[in-house]
Amino acid sequence: MTLQSYFLRYSPLLLIAGAMPVSAAQPSASAYPSIDAVQSAANEETPSKYAPLFADEMQRARRFVDRMRANGIVVPLPKDPGGGYTHEQHKDNYRAIYLSGQLYRLTGEQQYADYARDVLLAYADMYPTLPDHPARKNQNPGRIFWQVLNDAVWLVNSIQGYELIRDSLSKADRDNIDNNVFRKAAAFLSTGSAATFSRIHNHATWATAGVGMTGYVLGDNDLVEIALKGLDKSGKTGFLRQTELLFSPDGYYTEGPYYQRYALMPFIVFADAIERNQPERKIFEHRDGILLKALTTTVQLTYDGFFFPFNDAIKDKSLKTDELYNGVAIAYGKTRDPALLDIARWQGRTVLTDNGAMLARDLAAGEAKPFPFASLLLRDGPQGDKGAVAIFRNGTGDKHQALVLKNSSQGMGHGHFDKLSWQYYDNGREIVTDYGAARFLNIEAKEGGRYLPENESWAKQSIAHNTLVVDETSHFNSNTKLGDSLSPTQLFYSSGNGIQISTAEMVGAYDGTRFTRTMALLNVKGLEHPVVVDITRASSDQPRQYDLPVHYDGQIMRVGFDTSSNVAGRPVLGSDNGYQHIWVDAKGKPVDASNAFVTWILDGRFYSYRWVPQSGSEAILAESGANDPNFNLRREPMVIQRIAGGKDAVFASILEAHGRYDGAVEKTSLSDSQIKTIGLIEDQGSDVLLIETLSGAKAALAVSYDPDASKKHSVTIDGRTVSWTGFAAYIDMEEG
């Protein structure tokens, strides 16, 4: 076998890998082999076919680009907001430019280079004449799109396609496109949009990536340097600084999973370009390999492939997205981690790059290993001291249980006022829910695809989340700047020794008030599924009204207590801070924990939420959707515990999954809760939550709140001393 044959057989891209890096001052087209070289190599030894995943991707790209070619060159004058005709056409154009470049590189077929060239020449005629976009709103306006962010996305995609065809162009066409498209776009996104470019934010990540990649392609070292180090090249802003400030040491992105997914593409794709052009920067080693760590963390922030939807999140976003096709392929190319092949298999997609081909080849060779979804604590903040996201998992596969605790920071402008909130997943579904964003992305009929007014009036407000609300106001009085300055403190976390438990504290969300929340995922003897335990404590310097909502998905089957129902007309719960969007269906006052429960069904499984009612408390059964004349909100149920009139309050509750309904055979089993009652013992600063099942099993979760892991604690329950060591423990009361 010749050296060239050996290279072709074992190179990541089969036919086109092995590019040598170039310095930042050189046009990076030379970082790739020429098409002539590729064709020459292919003639010597061409594989009979690509791996199936890669071959499918090539066919998908051909179909799309061929359809675009058949429609001719369509570069309309920008006028529409998100979802409108011109918006979508320009998105299709940058995708076509990108894919045409990849297809030209892979096949050598001149038609693809010609098409990308002609589209870019049309932009060269139009781009220099463009004013600010006519559909601009409050965001910084773009030229091609209504906001500058989308212009940056256009540049990131288009420059990658252009890089692959640039050497095939005449000097006149190359100079025209260089100067009238890419230099002007880079100037607009950098010096022309300095406020955006200099932010520590995902908008700036896209902008710096586009400008920096343009610098590499055009051989403009100045563009590369301002992209990496900011407009003044001081390093106080720019791409490198963003990697240091937007991710925690655990790879958690401060704006939450949805925007972590979105920001990941420019981070990873630009890093890949840096690695090819300036390997001496060792970008994938920067900050202890933070970018590759962030990719793995992004995958961990999912259930059944869908991202945990807290903060401004669209709930249908999953790992099946361009950002993760690129990210998984690039990360696999760097790490050869076989668990990433498992993710690619679930995605069923890859990208037309050397990394994508290698991934497809190894997947076809059976080298995938299951991705290790795990219970873990993801610290927030650049130093890991801005709270955390705690994830507990039980079981494996797409039906496992997951408890997600959002004890993290505000998350900048896309953050919600939901400190110490939670979500719960089971049986492949989101059971205890987070609303996510009030937005219909790129649906023109809904505010041009932008965020809806209800995103501010409902989705961001505290009552829209599973968190404590004081005096019907939201955390930080809905002040994002204040919220960014204060974060929860993660007091304790454990996912071993038979107990999965987290305790966090929030101080400053309300003046003079602090609250602590302990949540655990426990396996109780005799119960088929683990139970979620919640102990929330609040204390204030004056009497307050405390509300603790649980938003859930499902249909109520049983309410354990008597209610006063609103059957003729539904009143609204309040007038502001999200309360104006809540219809009140019923209210009641449970007597004790034996009847303080609500049972609902979802997808053939029953769920019972049970709590220990406090003196004078009430329960409110309600639904979102009030004061919504434009039908922008989803109608979703909730149950709210309310304690009013005291300085302090304690909420103790559990969530139990049980039974089954099989509609096919019309059979129901264990439709009622299998827990007889629960109770809370408070003694010398410790809390002990007791659980007694119908079968007679008794268990307890004991929490001392003492960080000394060696200190022993005890409480007396019905004349019996119960002891444990450390912060918390799970105790089988039958065994002692």
Side-chain angles (χ1 to χ4, degrees):
M1 180 182 292
T2 66
L3 179 62
Q4 189 176 48
S5 298
Y6 178 89
F7 167 74
L8 285 168
R9 177 165 295 177
Y10 294 105
S11 70
L13 188 51
L14 303 178
L15 294 178
I16 60 176
M20 295 298 292
V22 297
S23 69
Q26 298 296 318
S28 70
S30 60
Y32 296 96
S34 69
I35 292 299
D36 288 343
V38 170
Q39 290 303 102
S40 176
N43 291 336
E44 178 177 342
E45 183 176 333
T46 302
S48 60
K49 63 178 181 179
Y50 292 104
L53 193 67
F54 195 81
D56 288 348
E57 204 64 48
M58 283 190 67
Q59 289 304 312
R60 184 179 292 107
R62 280 185 183 273
R63 288 194 297 270
F64 174 76
V65 175
D66 290 349
R67 185 171 67 249
M68 292 288 290
R69 290 175 56 236
N71 291 334
I73 307 302
V74 182
V75 181
L77 190 67
K79 70 170 186 175
D80 298 316
Y85 165 71
T86 63
H87 181 97
E88 295 303 313
Q89 181 63 41
H90 289 296
K91 283 174 58 181
D92 283 347
N93 284 347
Y94 72 62
R95 184 181 172 207
I97 294 167
Y98 172 81
L99 290 176
S100 293
Q102 298 291 354
L103 288 170
Y104 175 60
R105 186 183 178 197
L106 285 166
T107 68
E109 294 179 28
Q110 189 64 37
Q111 61 186 358
Y112 294 119
D114 290 347
Y115 176 70
R117 176 202 64 201
D118 291 346
V119 174
L120 287 168
L121 287 173
Y123 276 103
D125 288 341
M126 182 180 71
Y127 193 89
T129 70
L130 292 178
D132 286 350
H133 196 282
R136 63 189 180 273
K137 283 281 189 176
N138 297 327
Q139 291 86 350
N140 293 325
R143 296 282 169 81
I144 300 174
F145 299 94
W146 66 278
Q147 63 171 341
V148 71
L149 167 64
N150 299 82
D151 279 48
V153 175
W154 186 96
L155 183 58
V156 166
N157 283 273
S158 297
I159 193 63
Q160 292 180 78
Y162 181 55
E163 181 177 15
L164 300 177
I165 69 161
R166 188 172 183 270
D167 276 357
S168 73
L169 304 183
S170 68
K171 184 178 185 304
D173 286 344
R174 184 167 58 247
D175 289 347
N176 188 6
I177 294 169
D178 283 0
N179 296 325
N180 288 312
V181 180
F182 290 107
R183 287 195 183 279
K184 289 190 182 300
F188 169 66
L189 288 170
S190 55
T191 55
S193 305
T196 296
F197 194 79
S198 300
R199 295 178 70 187
I200 304 299
H201 190 268
N202 77 78
H203 289 202
T205 306
W206 281 96
T208 55
V211 170
M213 293 165 73
T214 299
Y216 283 129
V217 172
L218 302 186
D220 189 330
N221 192 59
D222 188 61
L223 288 179
V224 173
E225 289 298 303
I226 66 172
L228 293 173
K229 300 178 182 178
L231 292 174
D232 62 3
K233 303 178 185 177
S234 68
K236 294 180 180 178
T237 61
F239 182 81
L240 294 176
R241 191 60 173 157
Q242 290 178 51
T243 68
E244 294 160 0
L245 295 182
L246 288 175
F247 293 103
S248 79
D250 298 320
Y252 176 74
Y253 181 75
T254 190
E255 293 184 278
Y258 179 85
Y259 275 94
Q260 176 148 345
R261 175 270 323 167
Y262 186 63
L264 194 68
M265 183 167 174
F267 272 117
I268 296 291
V269 170
F270 186 26
D272 189 53
I274 295 168
E275 180 82 354
R276 282 190 289 108
N277 289 278
Q278 293 182 290
E280 68 275 11
R281 286 190 179 274
K282 298 182 178 180
I283 186 64
F284 284 108
E285 299 175 29
H286 180 65
R287 201 186 164 203
D288 192 30
I290 191 64
L291 293 179
L292 294 176
K293 190 181 296 183
L295 183 281
T296 301
T297 296
T298 305
V299 177
Q300 290 283 3
L301 287 163
T302 64
Y303 178 85
D304 192 23
F306 288 82
F307 294 102
F308 301 140
F310 51 77
N311 289 348
D312 278 344
I314 307 299
K315 300 189 77 164
D316 59 4
K317 279 294 182 183
S318 74
L319 293 169
K320 295 181 180 181
T321 180
D322 283 343
E323 296 88 354
L324 270 298
Y325 303 146
N326 278 274
V328 169
I330 291 171
Y332 183 74
K334 296 300 297 180
T335 67
R336 307 297 197 274
D337 181 355
L340 292 176
L341 298 177
D342 188 39
I343 299 303
R345 176 167 51 197
W346 188 90
Q347 292 173 314
R349 295 285 303 275
T350 189
V351 289
L352 296 180
T353 64
D354 50 357
N355 292 314
M358 180 186 2
L359 178 150
R361 180 197 67 196
D362 293 351
L363 179 61
E367 296 182 16
K369 293 184 178 179
F371 188 88
F373 287 100
S375 297
L376 71 167
L377 184 72
L378 298 172
R379 293 169 294 171
D380 194 5
Q383 307 304 318
D385 58 357
K386 301 296 184 183
V389 173
I391 303 171
F392 296 125
R393 298 186 191 268
N394 180 79
T396 59
D398 58 6
K399 302 289 187 180
H400 76 278
Q401 293 85 34
L403 174 62
V404 184
L405 313 177
K406 186 174 180 282
N407 304 330
S408 54
S409 68
Q410 180 65 26
M412 302 191 292
H414 287 299
H416 290 189
F417 302 102
D418 59 347
K419 302 304 98 179
L420 312 192
S421 64
W422 64 290
Q423 298 163 251
Y424 178 66
Y425 295 82
D426 177 48
N427 198 31
R429 300 292 297 269
E430 184 185 10
I431 309 303
V432 174
T433 65
D434 189 291
Y435 191 87
R439 183 185 190 185
F440 294 85
L441 183 63
N442 281 347
I443 297 179
E444 189 175 9
K446 292 293 187 179
E447 294 284 324
R450 306 179 183 96
Y451 287 102
L452 298 164
E454 289 78 10
N455 199 55
E456 300 295 324
S457 64
W458 169 250
K460 285 189 175 184
Q461 299 299 325
S462 298
I463 192 61
H465 301 85
N466 306 302
T467 187
L468 185 71
V469 186
V470 178
D471 292 339
E472 297 191 15
T473 60
S474 287
H475 300 173
F476 315 113
N477 200 27
S478 304
N479 184 316
T480 299
K481 185 176 181 180
L482 177 60
D484 280 331
S485 69
L486 299 168
S487 301
T489 300
Q490 186 72 37
L491 300 177
F492 184 73
Y493 174 90
S494 176
S495 61
N497 300 320
I499 181 173
Q500 298 198 78
I501 183 171
S502 161
T503 299
E505 180 181 53
M506 186 67 229
V507 179
Y510 298 101
D511 289 341
T513 302
R514 66 175 59 212
F515 59 101
T516 301
R517 192 164 209 172
T518 297
M519 297 201 69
L521 192 61
L522 301 179
N523 286 297
V524 177
K525 182 186 296 184
L527 298 183
E528 182 180 2
H529 307 289
V531 298
V532 177
V533 174
D534 178 13
I535 304 172
T536 300
R537 286 192 160 276
S539 62
S540 185
D541 57 6
Q542 57 185 291
R544 303 284 193 180
Q545 174 183 289
Y546 296 102
D547 289 341
L548 189 69
V550 167
H551 299 261
Y552 62 91
D553 189 7
Q555 176 70 45
I556 287 180
M557 295 289 102
R558 192 185 299 277
V559 177
F561 51 92
D562 292 334
T563 62
S564 174
S565 297
N566 299 307
V567 294
R570 296 193 291 180
V572 177
L573 188 56
S575 60
D576 204 355
N577 303 312
Y579 281 77
Q580 75 276 21
H581 290 302
I582 298 175
W583 294 116
V584 177
D585 289 316
K587 291 184 178 182
K589 294 186 176 182
V591 176
D592 55 40
S594 65
N595 76 338
F597 70 86
V598 175
T599 298
W600 65 86
I601 189 172
L602 180 66
D603 200 16
R605 185 165 292 174
F606 298 92
Y607 299 89
S608 290
Y609 178 65
R610 183 185 299 273
W611 62 95
V612 180
Q614 302 299 293
S615 177
S617 66
E618 69 174 341
I620 303 168
L621 303 179
E623 185 180 57
S624 60
N627 288 302
D628 181 25
N630 295 318
F631 306 99
N632 287 336
L633 292 176
R634 299 190 301 270
R635 274 53 174 162
E636 298 183 345
M638 70 195 81
V639 54
I640 303 171
Q641 296 182 59
R642 171 168 287 182
I643 301 175
K647 293 183 179 181
D648 303 330
V650 59
F651 298 87
S653 53
I654 65 169
L655 178 66
E656 169 200 6
H658 56 90
R660 186 185 181 207
Y661 171 70
D662 188 336
V665 297
E666 300 178 356
K667 183 177 181 179
T668 302
S669 61
L670 301 179
S671 61
D672 284 327
S673 170
Q674 299 303 292
I675 292 176
K676 181 179 180 181
T677 190
I678 63 174
L680 183 69
I681 305 297
E682 306 169 50
D683 189 355
Q684 301 179 38
S686 295
D687 284 325
V688 179
L689 188 139
L690 305 170
I691 301 174
E692 181 178 357
T693 71
L694 292 177
S695 64
K698 295 181 180 181
L701 175 67
V703 186
S704 70
Y705 303 101
D706 190 329
D708 186 346
S710 63
K711 190 173 180 179
K712 294 184 177 180
H713 307 275
S714 63
V715 299
T716 301
I717 303 174
D718 296 332
R720 174 184 173 185
T721 299
V722 177
S723 302
W724 73 97
T725 302
F727 192 97
Y730 173 65
I731 302 168
D732 187 333
M733 299 291 288
E734 296 177 335
E735 297 179 0

